[in-house]
Amino acid sequence: MGIGFQPGLDPGKLVSASQAGDIQFLDIRNHSSAYLTIEAHRGSLTALAVHRHAPIIASGSAKQLIKVFSLEGDQLGTIRYYPTLMAQKIGSVSCLNFHPYQLLLAAGAADACVCIYADDNTQAK
């Protein structure tokens, strides 16, 4: 469902995601296996984004869910739909993309809705 080079000075490392829901961290110099695997979404992964400069990745699901991970495999956050009166709607995630220089994540959904997310520490400009 997605693949991208990891940010940083080591151009030989990739992040790959499959529809089955696993995210694998690969070193192209070691052909034997992935050095880290994350079970991000069970059978519903639909999108993957790798930040160009920050050590984070995001994965999206058909189950109205986005997860953000560090390059060490730690889950940093979750964006999901909560059915309350003032809740932000999130549809079935079809694409994700990080801003190249800021910690902003754009998410496109199957219902033609586009949302932009920022971390709690980002100040509005």
Side-chain angles (χ1 to χ4, degrees):
M1 296 310 297
I3 192 166
F5 285 95
Q6 291 185 24
L9 300 174
D10 192 352
K13 293 191 175 179
L14 294 167
V15 179
S16 172
S18 73
Q19 186 177 9
D22 60 319
I23 299 173
Q24 293 188 337
F25 294 79
L26 309 161
D27 189 333
I28 60 175
R29 297 162 294 201
N30 179 4
H31 300 286
S32 63
S33 64
Y35 66 88
L36 177 64
T37 300
I38 302 171
E39 297 296 329
H41 305 273
R42 289 194 178 118
S44 65
L45 194 140
T46 55
L48 175 75
V50 181
H51 197 283
R52 184 184 298 177
H53 299 289
I56 58 173
I57 62 171
S59 62
S61 165
K63 298 178 181 175
Q64 301 175 309
L65 179 66
I66 299 170
K67 293 182 181 180
V68 180
F69 297 94
S70 71
L71 293 181
E72 290 79 34
D74 300 320
Q75 186 170 328
L76 303 175
T78 303
I79 302 166
R80 70 176 68 218
Y81 172 65
Y82 290 104
T84 63
L85 179 64
M86 299 299 286
Q88 175 68 38
K89 183 186 184 309
I90 178 173
S92 177
V93 179
S94 59
C95 58
L96 294 170
N97 198 8
F98 280 107
H99 185 280
Y101 303 109
Q102 299 178 26
L103 290 178
L104 298 173
L105 176 64
D111 61 358
C113 182
V114 175
C115 297
I116 298 176
Y117 301 99
D119 70 341
D120 292 339
N121 298 324
T122 301
Q123 295 181 4
K125 294 182 181 187

